[in-house]
Amino acid sequence: MDNTGREVLRKDVKVRGWILFGIFSVILVFMIITICSMIHNGDFEWNSFTGPLLFLTVISVICVWDGIRMIRTPEKLLNRENRNHGGSVYEMADKLYGDIIYEDKYIMVSHEVIASKKVRYNLAYRWDVYLISYVYRSLRYGKLEYYCLHTRNPENEVLIILKGYMTKKRVNEVLDMLLSYCPNAIYGDLDGAGGEYLKKMRKTDIHDIPHSPYYTCLLYTSDAADDRISV
């Protein structure tokens, strides 16, 4: 991959692979030492402790293997994401990283593309974002909140992760910023009017989507209805 945007994605996947490999390698070693110690002492038997222990060991093995694959062959993950994006992820990456006009800890924006700062291959064309929804999930040890950017392709949702403690004012500021960069988007819920708008835009011919490179506006003169001026 010679192009700047594609190389950035490739490096990002490898970094994530090293993080995944490092964290779960430590967990796996600890699990193996614990199991071996229990077997050596004759304490290993199926109970409420060994069950979750073995389950976590299996999960650690899977995550370590995934990390190795991300390090050795990042292109496989990127090719999968490319299919989810309708074959345009590399093209969008090139247009993003070669033309960044705004960047903070949440998003990166070029004249044509918007992307999540946390997951660099999670991106979309700005004109192709139709609905922005807010998601809040309470976790056992904290919370997860993010804005989801819905596009024409249901498989391509850009998640803007809201990190750390944020006031309601700051959360709204992020929303206003997202709306300003996505000219066809509205804020709403999938179950309400926002979902209906999203369905409508997904069914709309791409040549009728404002701000898209395929958009054609036809003007009709009063003297000749068939006299069309394309702009």
Side-chain angles (χ1 to χ4, degrees), residues 28-39 44 49 53:
L28 180 60
V29 170
F30 177 77
M31 294 295 104
I32 292 175
I33 291 175
T34 303
I35 292 173
C36 290
S37 177
M38 293 175 67
I39 293 175
F44 188 83
F49 176 74
L53 183 67

Side-chain angles (χ1 to χ4, degrees), residues 1-15 70 73-79 81-83 86-100 108 113 115 119-123 125:
M1 295 183 181
D2 295 326
N3 204 296
T4 302
R6 305 181 187 203
E7 186 61 25
V8 169
L9 294 187
R10 184 174 180 273
K11 290 180 179 179
D12 183 66
V13 171
K14 293 185 72 172
V15 168
M70 292 171 69
T73 56
E75 292 82 6
K76 288 186 177 181
L77 174 62
L78 292 175
N79 288 338
E81 290 299 321
N82 193 46
R83 290 192 296 270
S88 61
V89 66
Y90 295 137
E91 176 185 336
M92 286 192 287
D94 294 340
K95 292 182 178 181
L96 173 66
Y97 292 103
D99 183 36
I100 293 179
M108 293 178 291
V113 178
V119 183
R120 293 177 182 269
Y121 51 78
N122 198 198
L123 32 68
Y125 285 112

Side-chain angles (χ1 to χ4, degrees), residues 39-66:
I39 293 175
H40 178 74
N41 296 329
D43 298 329
F44 188 83
E45 60 182 25
W46 188 262
N47 53 42
S48 59
F49 176 74
T50 55
L53 183 67
L54 290 174
F55 176 76
L56 184 56
T57 301
V58 173
I59 294 298
S60 298
V61 171
I62 295 173
C63 291
V64 167
W65 176 242
D66 283 344

Side-chain angles (χ1 to χ4, degrees), residues 17-200:
W18 277 112
I19 293 173
L20 191 66
F21 174 79
I23 292 175
F24 283 94
S25 291
V26 173
I27 296 176
L28 180 60
V29 170
F30 177 77
M31 294 295 104
I32 292 175
I33 291 175
T34 303
I35 292 173
C36 290
S37 177
M38 293 175 67
I39 293 175
H40 178 74
N41 296 329
D43 298 329
F44 188 83
E45 60 182 25
W46 188 262
N47 53 42
S48 59
F49 176 74
T50 55
L53 183 67
L54 290 174
F55 176 76
L56 184 56
T57 301
V58 173
I59 294 298
S60 298
V61 171
I62 295 173
C63 291
V64 167
W65 176 242
D66 283 344
I68 292 174
R69 290 196 303 170
M70 292 171 69
I71 295 169
R72 292 175 60 87
T73 56
E75 292 82 6
K76 288 186 177 181
L77 174 62
L78 292 175
N79 288 338
R80 185 183 67 196
E81 290 299 321
N82 193 46
R83 290 192 296 270
N84 292 341
H85 286 74
S88 61
V89 66
Y90 295 137
E91 176 185 336
M92 286 192 287
D94 294 340
K95 292 182 178 181
L96 173 66
Y97 292 103
D99 183 36
I100 293 179
I101 59 175
Y102 178 80
E103 181 177 1
D104 61 18
K105 62 182 180 180
Y106 306 110
I107 64 172
M108 293 178 291
V109 182
S110 72
H111 284 93
E112 297 184 62
V113 178
I114 186 168
S116 167
K117 184 65 177 289
K118 188 173 181 63
V119 183
R120 293 177 182 269
Y121 51 78
N122 198 198
L123 32 68
Y125 285 112
R126 290 167 53 184
W127 59 266
D128 195 37
V129 177
Y130 307 130
L131 176 67
I132 301 175
S133 60
Y134 173 76
V135 179
Y136 178 91
R137 294 179 180 174
S138 179
L139 306 177
R140 185 173 182 180
Y141 297 106
K143 64 178 181 178
L144 174 64
E145 57 181 334
Y146 59 88
Y147 283 116
C148 183
L149 278 56
H150 304 271
T151 67
R152 176 176 292 268
N153 182 357
E155 298 296 326
N156 181 28
E157 294 180 345
V158 181
L159 306 183
I160 307 300
I161 307 297
L162 304 175
K163 301 178 181 178
Y165 175 78
M166 297 182 65
T167 63
K168 185 176 181 180
K169 179 181 178 181
R170 180 55 182 153
V171 171
N172 290 335
E173 287 176 350
V174 174
L175 173 61
D176 291 339
M177 179 174 56
L178 292 173
L179 289 171
S180 69
Y181 283 122
C182 302
N184 293 322
I186 66 169
Y187 174 71
D189 297 322
L190 281 173
D191 297 332
E196 294 300 319
Y197 174 77
L198 178 61
K199 292 178 183 178
K200 173 187 174 183

